[in-house]
Amino acid sequence: MTDSAPRRARVRAPELIGKGGWLNTGGRQYALSDLRGRIVVLDFWTFCCINCLHVLDELRELEEKHRDTLVVIGVHSPKFVHEADHRAVVDAVERYGVAHPVLDDPELATWKQYAVRAWPTLVVIDPEGYVVAQHAGEGHAHAIERLVEELQAEHAAKGTLRRGDGPYVPPEPEPTTLRFPGKALLLPSGNFLVSDTTRHQLVELAEDAETVVRRLGTGTRGFADGGPDQASFNEPQGLALLDDGSVVVADTVNHALRRLDPATGEVTTLAGTGRQWWQGSATSGPAREVDLSSPWDVAVFGGRVWIAMAGVHQLWTYDPEGRTVAVAAGTTNEGLVDGPGAEAWFAQPSGLAATADRLWLADSETSALRWVDTDGQVHTAAGTGLFDFGHRDGAAEQALFQHPLGVTALPDGSVAVADTYNHALRRYDPATGEVTTLATDLREPSDAVLVGEDIVVVESARHRLTRLRLPEEAVRVESVAHRTRRAATEVSPGRLSLDVIFQAPAGQKLDTRYGPSTRLLVSATPPELLLKGEGADTDLFRELELNPAVPEGVLHVSAMAASCDDDPANEYPACHVHQQDWGVPLRLTAGGTDRLPLVLAGMDEQ
């Protein structure tokens, strides 16, 4: 390294191994040595994870700007059993417009080699094959860009930088009518409105659920109002009908709610700024002035539009009269906690359905079916938390789903659940407390619409709507239960040093103008696991005490750090928020570690 080059820790990067092989490379299999001379960013992701989807969007501009020196490699590291299915990874890469090579690592081999602890995690490798930085969570694109520019200059001077085309080879487009549709709505006309998510459009289908009546939107990513040929969306999902006949659209990647006038095809924006909500942003106010975060579904309940705000694990509401938005339930912590709305925890709520007295929701990351009553209390019908899932019918307290994305109210007071990763349609009956299976052999069902005595299912990974007769008898399936594929971290009982590592990017410093710039929130499932160290504070280091009587559990850690450009001459420096939530499975054992390092940004040099 030259004297003028910045000094930084360097660790030789382990090889990239994945049993599923490589995608988006035209069939070529790569080794790390094939990428020597390029700056490589490894993006450890899993396709269920909303934070991972945010990072995909954060990286797009960076990839484009530095395409001749930078190679982004997605390392797909599954949480759910379904995500270890190679075909499902292929689908997800297309569904979310991933425009870089992806290594399918179903056994988490590369994840373990790089000691990754959280989705998403970004690892930067220099042109000589050394790891120079690691970042967990969202909000790091600016820091990585600065590092990329430093590495470009440093390795150009050393003669170790190689410019040119990258290894990405786009797949051939498939000529289907719909492409990974997300949600559907029955219009008063009897036609269906479908969010054609991957094609960034809304599509109206005739009553046969197949014939295209019209397409709404340009079909390319964008955020523009206007008529059906001018308006643009960005991965739209949920749809709900308002009393005036207009349709509210959850425009997910635009972080906005849009309004469609079905009569004219005109699209306008109801809520959101196009920017993603971050900790510290407003949580209520005029709808067009408040940031949202990946709204995934919408439903009208109690005179307001409720929003499944998947990006921040909350439920929000939009008031059509006052044109305001506000948080209705959820703390932004990820997990399963019932009770008053202000104290409840959700995990990526992704499907909503309203009846007169209940707002049902599919809480995808906890594989749970939950509901909100008219008093704003949150309840759980089935599901236990972030790490337990499967396909098991019977009494709701022991029934299991796997990452459900949709819920539909049925005429008898029960609900149908689009049990997405089980490829099934399930039913929960509040009168009996039983969960049953209505249909199987669906491909990633994400929503369903009641039409008379039929139910029309959005079969997202088959790119179609599928009409089923509601069966009198439930389908019998063999019960199966799973736990997340992540190995537990072995820690010793008693004292555990929790060390969240954050190094401000070059040219930046912690922003202390308005008080502490860091925040750490710690809790555990079960709560008895933690004898000491629970709660919020501003220090990123904390001494915990683990209960020897609790053999295993999950440590929930939420960390945030704000950094600003370090330029005394600039009165208004650019500032950035870095944040990540970890759910770390722990197993208490006498020979376990007494230090738990979690890298928010930088390198753990201990």
Side-chain angles (χ1 to χ4, degrees), residues 183-202:
K183 305 286 184 181
L185 177 68
L186 185 65
L187 295 169
S189 64
N191 288 351
F192 295 90
L193 187 67
V194 185
S195 53
D196 195 17
T197 306
T198 296
R199 293 214 178 108
H200 316 294
Q201 286 183 319
L202 306 181

Side-chain angles (χ1 to χ4, degrees), residues 34 42 283 388:
D34 298 324
L42 302 182
T283 54
D388 295 293

